[in-house]
Amino acid sequence: MNPNLGKMAARIAGLLVLAALLGVDVQAAEENTLIMSIGTMGDLGTDPTLNSKLFPESGGWENYHYYTHYSPLISLDSDGKVIPWMAESYEVSDDYDTITFHLRNGIKFADGTPLNASVVKFNFDRVITYGWTDRRDITKLAVYVYYDYSEAPDENTFIIHFTEGWLNVARDLIRNQAYSAFINPNDVDPAWDIEGTLKPEKRYNGLGPYYVDEDESIPEEKVVLKKRNSWRDDLNFHKPNIEKIVLTHIANPLTAVLALKKGEIDYICRYWRPSLDSLVTLENDPEINIMTQSNARTFFLVTAYWKEPFSGSDGILLRKAMCYGLNREEMVDGAFFGYATTATETMYLSPILPEVPDCCDKGYDYDPDKAKQLLAEAGWKDTDGDGILDKNGRSLNLDLVISSSATLGWMKDLAVIVQSQLKDMGIEVDIQSLESSAYTDSRNNGDYDLLLSYTNPSEYPMVQQLIVFNSGMGDIRSYYADVNDTLAELVYDAYMASNKEDRDQCVCEACDILYEEAGLIPLVHPMEYAVMSSRVKEFEFYTGWGDYEHVEECEICN
């Protein structure tokens, strides 16, 4: 069931002409310059402490802010463990409602202004109470919802107080870039006013080791970042090695592959990485390096549990039958070309996700005979001999909603295999491929029979991942809810737990419900992969979606 590789080669050949027509910028390889493709390009000079949804004229987080401004207090390593960054240490109170950071000495903005606790306080107050309030009012992130006040008792001590405490307060403070992109309070007008306007001439005066050269940058085509002396050089802390980073806009991942093969770029940003089938054409190319590592994410099917045929006890039997009847090994080979592992040991949380208790390590193995038995128990039979099961005069026909977004290209290949396997079980599936916003609307509103979805990267704490089972804590319809809403209560209690024992008890009970009621249909765990020129050395994966990988710490070998 592998996609036709001959067709893939033809697609790439055909895109050679497309690449030329699109005018991909061909740059001679400059010493110590890294050229990276990204799929979207925003405006230059925006204020990252303001959300563009709330401040469309001046605000917005853009990819280049990772290099001009991004400097978190604490961060995560590639295994998802908390590590110090601008704060050399931190403590969380026993009731988890207060976190204290101790800042490093010697941190400075690009213009030489020292960073101190008062500056950090200004930025947190600006982001949480003014610039990104949608995170409180709409997405309901705990950091925003329970933020009480902050204080700076001395130059190097910054303290945040919350109205309620929760176990993962430190990890939650890492997850949002907005409160890791600091600006100088003197750079707004009026100075030190959390509602002040960032001065245009100060738009790149961040804590990052690069500035945007607007003379060399071309709007909507490329952003040229040039290294400047920074506190990371002064403190010998994660020193950047790359003198110039060029972010080149290439919307089509296949065009990015062509540009990489031709030596026009050095690295394809992992957030807009090429499709899995294109990796097959790159694996034996000595000029290209494909790096991989295990991934804590899970791809799965969501069912419309609130309506027929998935509601009630017969709906549980149907979901269990699908769990047993799907051949995940075939999915790994056919849709992922081996760049995945089967999700038969979990119902949702990957076992390699940090902090997941062993009680959640249970799932459904491939057992087609068991699947047939459960379908019969649920009353589904092929009474008219057309190969499709029916019950009470209704055929078992289901719509499967997927996204057509280029960043979710795996959905189409996986959906085709799921469709074929369910057809073999007597279930007719119609794939509905929707553009990104329509897919989001369908997911949020529950307009589907089946929905192909995925968990977040390991930078999201375990209990943060479980929010999808409690619509009161997120902005999407719950992926599953039991009759008494016990699952929703368990998710909330786990999220707000103040000790590991209580949290894990709630998580274990939630996992039991998902297993006993087959709340979801887990499919595979995708592998993480990054595609780059063999000239790029010392690359390391960073926890997250892949839009930032600390590529400034890589080396270029000509």
Side-chain angles (χ1 to χ4, degrees), residues 32-45:
N32 215 13
T33 294
L34 185 142
I35 305 173
M36 173 170 58
S37 67
I38 60 176
T40 61
M41 186 154 297
D43 296 330
L44 294 176

Side-chain angles (χ1 to χ4, degrees), residues 33-305:
T33 294
L34 185 142
I35 305 173
M36 173 170 58
S37 67
I38 60 176
T40 61
M41 186 154 297
D43 296 330
L44 294 176
T46 57
D47 182 348
T49 64
L50 305 179
N51 190 342
S52 60
K53 294 180 180 178
L54 303 178
F55 303 89
E57 298 300 320
S58 59
W61 174 275
E62 302 296 346
N63 197 271
Y64 62 81
H65 284 128
Y66 281 117
Y67 306 95
T68 59
H69 286 76
Y70 184 69
S71 287
L73 293 172
I74 51 179
S75 187
L76 298 175
D77 64 14
S78 59
D79 295 321
K81 298 178 181 177
V82 178
I83 57 173
W85 201 262
M86 290 204 309
E88 57 187 0
S89 64
Y90 73 97
E91 302 100 34
V92 180
S93 63
D94 291 342
D95 53 7
Y96 294 92
D97 65 358
T98 302
I99 184 167
T100 301
F101 296 97
H102 303 283
L103 305 179
R104 298 179 188 275
N105 288 310
I107 299 177
K108 299 178 181 179
F109 285 92
D111 65 359
T113 303
L115 178 88
N116 57 39
S118 295
V119 172
V120 176
K121 171 180 166 53
F122 166 86
N123 278 270
F124 267 80
D125 288 345
R126 178 177 173 87
V127 167
I128 294 177
T129 67
Y130 176 65
W132 288 76
T133 53
D134 61 313
R135 296 296 192 262
R136 176 194 66 211
D137 302 331
I138 299 175
T139 13
K140 302 184 186 303
L141 296 183
V143 169
Y144 293 81
V145 172
Y146 301 119
Y147 182 71
D148 192 7
Y149 69 97
S150 63
E151 58 178 318
D154 59 54
E155 291 285 291
N156 292 86
T157 306
F158 173 61
I159 306 173
I160 308 176
H161 299 271
F162 298 95
T163 57
E164 293 189 40
W166 68 101
L167 193 61
N168 282 305
V169 59
R171 292 181 63 90
D172 278 6
L173 281 166
I174 297 171
R175 195 171 63 80
N176 193 320
Q177 315 100 310
Y179 32 73
S180 296
F182 296 91
I183 61 174
N184 187 337
N186 292 305
D187 292 348
V188 299
D189 186 18
W192 287 87
D193 184 342
I194 64 170
E195 297 185 9
T197 301
L198 183 64
K199 300 174 183 176
E201 67 272 18
K202 294 293 187 178
R203 56 190 177 275
Y204 302 123
N205 184 33
L207 296 169
Y210 294 84
Y211 70 95
V212 174
D213 186 330
E214 291 192 352
D215 291 334
E216 291 191 18
S217 300
I218 302 175
E220 300 183 4
E221 291 187 21
K222 69 177 181 179
V223 176
V224 177
L225 295 149
K226 292 187 177 179
K227 187 177 180 298
R228 59 192 175 193
N229 187 70
S230 71
W231 66 272
R232 287 167 59 178
D233 295 301
D234 297 339
L235 302 184
N236 195 26
F237 180 81
H238 289 268
K239 292 181 64 173
N241 295 315
I242 305 297
E243 291 296 325
K244 183 163 76 171
I245 298 174
V246 181
L247 307 180
T248 300
H249 182 207
I250 304 179
N252 190 318
L254 283 175
T255 306
V257 170
L258 295 172
L260 182 65
K261 289 171 71 71
K262 293 165 64 177
E264 297 167 354
I265 62 174
D266 302 301
Y267 174 68
I268 301 175
C269 184
R270 192 159 56 86
Y271 188 81
W272 297 278
R273 62 192 177 187
S275 61
L276 287 158
D277 54 1
S278 66
L279 296 188
V280 177
T281 69
L282 303 176
E283 288 174 338
N284 297 319
D285 190 330
E287 302 298 322
I288 293 175
N289 188 19
I290 302 173
M291 295 191 66
T292 62
Q293 74 169 15
S294 298
N295 193 332
R297 298 174 66 198
T298 304
F299 293 169
F300 56 91
L301 285 173
V302 185
T303 67
Y305 57 86

Side-chain angles (χ1 to χ4, degrees), residues 491-508:
V491 168
Y492 180 81
D493 290 344
Y495 189 85
M496 297 306 299
S498 60
N499 63 77
K500 182 178 183 297
E501 291 72 22
D502 289 347
R503 180 199 65 190
D504 287 357
Q505 178 63 34
C506 292
V507 171
C508 286

Side-chain angles (χ1 to χ4, degrees), residues 1 301 321-335 342 366-368 371-372 375 387-389 400 413-429 431 450 521-524:
M1 300 195 63
L301 285 173
M322 293 170 68
C323 283
Y324 279 120
L326 290 172
N327 185 343
R328 295 164 179 83
E329 290 284 357
E330 190 175 83
M331 298 176 193
V332 168
D333 294 336
T342 59
Y366 179 51
D367 189 340
K372 292 178 182 178
L375 287 169
I388 303 302
L389 300 174
L400 169 56
D413 290 338
L414 183 55
V416 169
I417 292 178
V418 168
Q419 179 188 49
S420 175
Q421 292 186 5
L422 290 179
K423 181 67 175 291
D424 291 341
M425 294 170 59
I427 303 173
E428 186 75 60
V429 172
I431 299 173
L450 296 171
I521 303 172
L523 302 176
V524 301

